[in-house]
Amino acid sequence: MVLDGVIESIVFQNSQNGFTVARVLVKNEVVTVVGTLSKIYQGQEISAVGNFVSDARFGKQFRVQSYELKEPKTEEGVIKYLASGLIPGIGPATAQKIVEKFGAETLDIIELNPLKLSEVKGVTLKKAAEIGQAFLDIKKMQNVVMFLQEYNISTNLSVKIYNRYGENAREIIKKNPYRLVEDMTRVGFKTADKIALSVGIPEDSQFRLRAGLVHILNESSEKDGNTYLPVEDVYVQLSKLLHIDIMERLEDFNDIVSQLVIECVVKRCNFKGADCLMLAKYYEVELKVATKLLTLNHAMTNQEDVEAEIDSFETINNVKLHPDQRAAVSKAINSGVCVITGGPGTGKTTIIKCILGILNRRCGRIALLAPTGRAAKRMSESCGEDASTIHRALLIDYDGGETKADSASFFYNETNKFPYDAVIVDEVSMVDVNLMLSLVSALNSGTRLILVGDKNQLPSVGAGNVLADIIGSHIIACAELTHIYRQSGDSLIISNAHAINRGEMPIIDNKSKDFFYEDKQSQEDIAQTILSLISYRLPKYLNIDPLKIQVLAPMRVGVCGVDNLNNMIQEKLNPSDYTKKEMRFDYNMFRVGDKVMQTANNYTQMWRKERKNGSWEIGEAVFNGDIGFVTDINEETESLEVTFDDGRIAEYAREDAKQLMLSYAITIHKSQGSEFDVVIMPIIAGASSILTRNLLYTAVTRAKGMVVLVGSRKNLHIMVGNNYTAKRFSALGIFLEKQAHNMEVLNGE
């Protein structure tokens, strides 16, 4: 339905995403209007499309789907409009004077002859010109927002598009909407294609071919983690995307590639005999990481005997290191860069503590880092010293850019070095190539860099394959731990994890204290068993809070997918209650008390955290994988408050709440870097590319107290035997080998 009225007041507006609560006068009745309404002002006329909804606390509201704005027609409306903050320098008193002078012609005067405003007492010629320019800028921006609204582009992004292209935004987009794919990282090919086809751009346009190519390379990095693609793969994907046979347009394709190379958007490379295409930004990133790693590595030349210090560590801590572990410690101390890799129970934590003890005596400041807050917390607890996320240690500073990606810059960087003599990074398998560049760029030559991780874990969500590439290059010193150092009593978690990694069936006789198997066939039975385990069986057996039990599922969809399991568990553990605040955000119903996870890096999300002295630390940025609980919901502003595991409290507006999901159950990919007291995992049938040995291994190694697998033995056997690993195309290892060779040639080796 359509609602026409005049904006009486604005109750709430989020400046980041445009979410607004406004009062609108509709025929002598004031209606509460909610939705994404950017840059609206009191006194404006609005024509909104949407529907009425009933809010439990605030009653009837009109939820806006789309809208149009018109300038006010009455003098009273114009006064409200001008006094609303629309134009800097015009408050209520000045607005009153201007309207008294010019009456109904006020807005025409401001737009067409603004210098005439200087006839009003207190308005100088300079101020009059500024008022006119500001008014025009607002009108131009609103026109762009209205135009893009037709294509489901958010108000926030529309404003950024306007800031990128200025007053010609609409014309530029109509001429070639595919520019958005390259210039605006949050606009996908399908959106640009929809606009293009609607404004009459032909399907065989070279604009379309170029945008499709750039989109494929971008999507390949964002979704699959690739930093390059073989040209043969690009042919296949591009043909499918554009619904054409690319081989029939091979000349056009090569011309476009050549142009993109000239413009430094794409690199055409030969990697191991294959013709490949690579976004120039990833070429630069991986090359820089390789060069920096080699520089750090070559800066350390002194070789020192550490045997006596290892002996001392053993005596003080009453432990006995395996020879492989002693060798790993020696490599770490005597290398500029060193990788330590091993599965669970191989003593990585013990080795870190030993290295830390030696370095504390030998050099100055040492930083303990991890890619996620949960991993950093675990590292701090195990080592007995403060650990931080890489982002927080480098002092994150969101740059707000759109042309390079919504990404972060850092206080410590290439020109302002990180003030530490040694850096130890845990869970390196989770670190993507962009974050690795930020880290190594900030390190002084001579800083030791020790990278710790499990090479058999799933690779990073972001682009690149940092840990595997470094190990595979054989250029950087690497210590691989295979001897199982930690295995207590009847525990089967560690031994079963290693068995799975070797392709052997785990022991599932249910005789141990920490590894159990529930044999169920149908997905419905599996889901119901998981529900009973998390809601009462395990809490009663272990005397544990159900919220400390984590369900890890291979997929999001299906009966045993994350989405369905979350809904089932939520209704069991945190059901709807008239005393409990709740609100739907997109497809998610959130209630106070719900366990939730942040699903994307958000560098502008504000948070506060209470210090021990009672004062508050204020900061910004929440990260993909952060877990917390909904602690409050504000129905009027349509916002919710989340308190994260580390004590940070963040308030989410409706638009930002889209980045949250229920996390009673999460995907195994999302669990990386975390440990949970108890892990439950459904074992189901599915695509061989998803249900892999690697995935099962990762899930099992997330548990520190107990693992419960639920499903059929047949599917478990299939999963253990499935050693499929999706090929990730990344060039860091290639660049390490090439740069190492170049250094040898330069040094005459």
Side-chain angles (χ1 to χ4, degrees):
M1 67 175 293
V2 179
L3 181 144
D4 295 310
V6 178
I7 300 168
E8 283 279 289
S9 63
I10 297 170
V11 179
F12 171 82
Q13 187 166 64
N14 186 304
S15 61
Q16 292 295 321
N17 55 44
F19 176 77
T20 302
V21 179
R23 307 289 192 214
V24 176
L25 181 63
V26 183
K27 296 180 179 178
N28 298 321
E29 179 187 0
V30 177
V31 177
T32 299
V33 171
V34 299
T36 302
L37 309 166
S38 182
K39 301 295 182 183
I40 67 169
Y41 299 94
Q42 293 178 22
Q44 281 184 300
E45 293 186 9
I46 184 171
S47 181
V49 177
N51 59 281
F52 280 101
V53 297
S54 183
D55 185 272
R57 183 174 176 185
F58 298 101
K60 190 166 73 171
Q61 298 177 332
F62 188 84
R63 183 157 294 163
V64 177
Q65 297 168 351
S66 64
Y67 68 101
E68 279 186 62
L69 295 172
K70 301 175 184 177
E71 293 171 356
K73 294 184 175 67
T74 66
E75 290 187 7
E76 182 184 357
V78 173
I79 291 171
K80 282 187 176 182
Y81 183 47
L82 294 177
S84 64
L86 167 74
I87 300 170
I90 297 184
T94 303
Q96 183 79 32
K97 290 178 185 177
I98 292 173
V99 175
E100 285 177 356
K101 175 71 175 176
F102 300 110
E105 297 180 0
T106 296
L107 296 181
D108 288 337
I109 295 285
I110 293 175
E111 181 177 1
L112 303 173
N113 190 13
L115 295 182
K116 197 173 175 63
L117 296 175
S118 63
E119 297 175 11
V120 177
K121 187 178 180 181
V123 179
T124 64
L125 278 171
K126 182 182 178 183
K127 187 174 181 179
E130 290 173 348
I131 289 171
Q133 188 59 54
F135 184 76
L136 284 176
D137 289 343
I138 290 293
K139 289 195 67 172
K140 290 171 183 175
M141 186 191 66
Q142 287 184 335
N143 286 336
V144 172
V145 171
M146 294 296 105
F147 168 66
L148 293 172
Q149 180 184 262
E150 299 174 26
Y151 305 101
N152 295 319
I153 294 178
S154 72
T155 306
N156 195 30
L157 182 55
S158 296
V159 172
K160 291 183 177 180
I161 290 172
Y162 175 78
N163 292 336
R164 174 73 173 84
Y165 298 130
E167 62 183 276
N168 298 319
R170 188 168 178 171
E171 288 69 30
I172 289 171
I173 293 168
K174 280 186 173 182
K175 183 180 179 181
N176 178 20
Y178 296 109
R179 284 186 60 175
L180 294 170
V181 177
E182 293 182 48
D183 295 345
M184 310 296 296
T185 59
R186 289 168 54 199
V187 179
F189 176 81
K190 290 182 179 178
T191 298
D193 206 36
K194 181 182 176 182
I195 299 172
L197 297 177
S198 73
V199 298
I201 294 176
E203 290 190 3
D204 62 353
S205 161
Q206 289 215 358
F207 291 150
R208 189 167 187 254
L209 184 58
R210 172 182 170 125
L213 172 58
V214 174
H215 168 75
I216 283 170
L217 293 177
N218 273 317
E219 189 173 62
S220 177
S221 65
E222 292 170 4
K223 291 189 175 181
D224 300 322
N226 299 313
T227 58
Y228 74 88
L229 280 177
V231 170
E232 295 291 335
D233 287 26
V234 176
Y235 292 159
V236 173
Q237 293 186 40
L238 196 54
S239 296
K240 185 178 179 180
L241 178 70
L242 303 182
H243 306 291
I244 63 172
D245 184 353
I246 199 65
M247 302 310 293
E248 294 179 358
R249 297 191 61 188
L250 202 53
E251 185 176 346
D252 286 341
F253 175 87
N254 287 322
D255 286 346
I256 287 168
V257 170
S258 297
Q259 186 61 37
L260 288 168
V261 170
I262 293 171
E263 294 174 16
C264 295
V265 176
V266 167
K267 291 280 189 179
R268 197 160 194 166
C269 309
N270 186 293
F271 291 146
K272 300 180 179 179
D275 186 16
C276 301
L277 293 179
M278 189 175 194
L279 289 171
K281 62 182 180 181
Y282 285 117
Y283 181 94
E284 296 298 326
V285 167
E286 292 199 299
L287 181 60
K288 285 179 179 178
V289 171
T291 303
K292 186 64 181 180
L293 285 173
L294 290 169
T295 301
L296 291 168
N297 198 44
H298 282 81
M300 194 68 62
T301 56
N302 295 333
Q303 299 293 305
E304 301 180 40
D305 188 359
V306 296
E307 294 299 315
E309 290 169 289
I310 296 174
D311 291 341
S312 177
F313 173 81
E314 290 180 329
T315 301
I316 294 170
N317 293 275
N318 194 29
V319 296
K320 184 68 177 177
L321 298 189
H322 186 271
D324 288 348
Q325 294 168 325
R326 296 178 73 97
V329 173
S330 181
K331 272 188 182 180
I333 298 297
N334 289 303
S335 303
V337 183
C338 179
V339 173
I340 298 173
T341 184
T346 54
K348 295 190 298 294
T349 299
T350 302
I351 286 175
I352 291 174
K353 291 169 73 174
C354 183
I355 293 168
L356 195 56
I358 295 172
L359 291 178
N360 276 329
R361 289 189 294 272
R362 293 191 174 196
C363 58
R365 301 180 67 188
I366 304 163
L368 299 180
L369 307 179
T372 68
R374 294 178 73 86
K377 183 180 179 182
R378 185 158 52 87
M379 190 182 191
S380 182
E381 291 170 351
S382 61
C383 294
E385 296 196 22
D386 288 340
S388 170
T389 65
I390 299 171
H391 289 87
R392 294 197 72 183
L394 297 180
L395 299 182
I396 192 168
D397 179 26
Y398 177 66
D399 63 20
E402 270 290 338
T403 58
K404 294 183 179 179
D406 281 354
S407 60
S409 58
F410 296 93
F411 177 77
Y412 294 115
N413 50 47
E414 188 73 45
T415 56
N416 186 37
K417 298 295 185 179
F418 196 45
Y420 288 86
D421 302 297
V423 175
I424 304 174
V425 187
D426 200 10
E427 296 286 358
V428 178
S429 63
M430 299 180 65
V431 178
D432 62 42
V433 70
N434 286 309
L435 185 56
M436 179 57 72
L437 177 62
S438 296
L439 174 62
V440 297
S441 296
L443 302 184
N444 283 299
S445 178
T447 300
R448 285 185 178 86
L449 178 62
I450 300 165
L451 306 172
V452 184
D454 184 349
K455 69 176 185 178
N456 294 309
Q457 294 282 358
L458 297 169
S460 61
V461 174
N465 202 6
V466 172
L467 181 62
D469 279 0
I470 293 174
I471 294 172
S473 72
H474 304 292
I475 300 298
I476 301 299
C478 178
E480 183 171 358
L481 308 175
T482 56
H483 177 74
I484 299 177
Y485 188 74
R486 172 172 58 88
Q487 182 73 44
S488 61
D490 302 325
S491 174
L492 282 181
I493 293 177
I494 293 172
S495 58
N496 274 346
H498 285 276
I500 291 167
N501 194 44
R502 294 191 299 268
E504 302 169 2
M505 280 288 287
I507 298 171
I508 51 173
D509 57 11
N510 290 343
K511 293 181 179 179
S512 77
K513 296 178 180 178
D514 64 359
F515 205 103
F516 298 94
Y517 192 87
E518 291 261 350
D519 195 347
K520 301 293 177 182
Q521 299 303 310
S522 73
Q523 290 208 24
E524 289 75 13
D525 285 347
I526 294 170
Q528 288 299 323
T529 300
I530 289 173
L531 191 61
S532 68
L533 284 165
I534 194 172
S535 62
Y536 67 91
R537 289 173 58 187
L538 289 177
K540 182 179 179 181
Y541 176 66
L542 298 170
N543 192 27
I544 190 175
D545 185 340
L547 296 177
K548 291 187 176 182
I549 301 170
Q550 187 62 58
V551 179
L552 301 181
M555 297 175 289
R556 289 190 60 88
V557 299
V559 176
C560 291
V562 164
D563 294 337
N564 186 58
L565 289 173
N566 268 322
N567 291 333
M568 291 176 63
I569 298 169
Q570 181 193 45
E571 287 306 311
K572 193 71 175 181
L573 298 184
N574 193 28
S576 181
D577 187 291
Y578 75 93
T579 65
K580 193 179 297 176
K581 293 179 182 178
E582 66 176 34
M583 185 170 291
R584 184 170 294 281
F585 291 80
D586 271 6
Y587 301 107
N588 292 305
M589 174 63 80
F590 292 126
R591 299 188 184 107
V592 171
D594 274 333
K595 185 178 179 182
V596 294
M597 172 182 278
Q598 175 74 19
T599 63
N601 290 337
N602 185 337
Y603 301 111
T604 61
Q605 178 63 58
M606 300 296 297
W607 54 260
R608 66 186 190 279
K609 183 177 180 180
E610 190 172 10
R611 298 188 178 98
K612 291 180 181 179
N613 63 5
S615 64
W616 289 89
E617 176 187 0
I618 306 296
E620 57 184 358
V622 292
F623 301 106
N624 190 357
D626 287 350
I627 290 179
F629 295 89
V630 178
T631 45
D632 193 21
I633 291 175
N634 189 320
E635 291 100 332
E636 183 170 1
T637 62
E638 294 197 312
S639 62
L640 59 82
E641 180 188 87
V642 175
T643 300
F644 291 103
D645 286 351
D646 60 1
R648 289 172 299 149
I649 302 171
E651 184 175 328
Y652 286 77
R654 172 173 288 280
E655 186 72 18
D656 294 322
K658 295 177 182 179
Q659 298 175 351
L660 294 171
M661 62 169 283
L662 294 173
S663 62
Y664 302 103
I666 61 176
T667 63
I668 296 166
H669 284 84
K670 289 289 189 185
S671 74
Q672 288 182 265
S674 299
E675 276 191 344
F676 307 98
D677 292 326
V678 181
V679 165
I680 304 173
M681 179 183 172
I683 305 296
I684 57 176
S688 60
S689 59
I690 298 173
L691 301 177
T692 65
R693 178 192 304 171
N694 183 235
L695 196 76
L696 177 61
Y697 171 81
T698 300
V700 169
T701 56
R702 297 307 88 203
K704 58 182 180 180
M706 181 180 289
V707 172
V708 184
L709 305 180
V710 185
S712 77
R713 292 174 183 263
K714 176 185 175 182
N715 288 330
L716 178 62
H717 193 274
I718 291 172
M719 205 168 181
V720 171
N722 180 14
N723 199 29
Y724 172 85
T725 303
K727 170 65 177 173
R728 180 168 282 198
F729 297 104
S730 55
L732 177 57
I734 298 170
F735 286 141
L736 276 169
E737 293 173 23
K738 286 184 176 180
Q739 292 297 88
H741 175 72
N742 292 340
M743 285 185 177
E744 289 176 357
V745 171
L746 286 172
N747 294 328
E749 297 177 13

